[in-house]
Amino acid sequence: MTSVRYEVVEHDGGWAYRVGATYSETFPSHDAARRAADRAAAEQRRPGDTAGISYEDEKGRWHDEVASGDDRPSTEVEG
């Protein structure tokens, strides 16, 4: 199972949460950034609909797959 880690950090004169190298918008307080990270983490865990997807790979080939709506990552929030 995939795991997604949200980290609350100081950023751009305020606070944000970060997933990998991607930052959220800036919040005025640590608590506001933490609440937003908790909401985002909960949304990641929420099951969706099973659906067909099509995508093109780096070699220009198209692929069709079924994305299972219940294949959700585990999440954690730090900071």
Side-chain angles (χ1 to χ4, degrees):
M1 174 182 276
T2 302
S3 180
V4 178
R5 183 173 160 252
Y6 292 77
E7 183 180 10
V8 178
V9 296
E10 287 187 71
H11 179 68
D12 206 21
W15 293 88
Y17 62 85
R18 176 176 64 198
V19 177
T22 303
Y23 290 86
S24 70
E25 67 272 23
T26 303
F27 296 90
S29 69
H30 180 278
D31 288 343
R34 175 64 192 232
R35 285 191 302 272
D38 287 338
R39 278 192 305 273
E43 289 174 10
Q44 280 283 346
R45 293 187 305 267
R46 188 174 310 133
D49 296 327
T50 296
I53 59 171
S54 295
Y55 66 93
E56 185 177 10
D57 67 19
E58 64 279 352
K59 294 181 180 179
R61 289 180 290 201
W62 282 91
H63 302 269
D64 294 313
E65 294 182 4
V66 175
S68 176
D70 61 356
D71 184 19
R72 306 306 305 155
S74 65
T75 61
E76 63 178 301
V77 178
E78 293 183 0

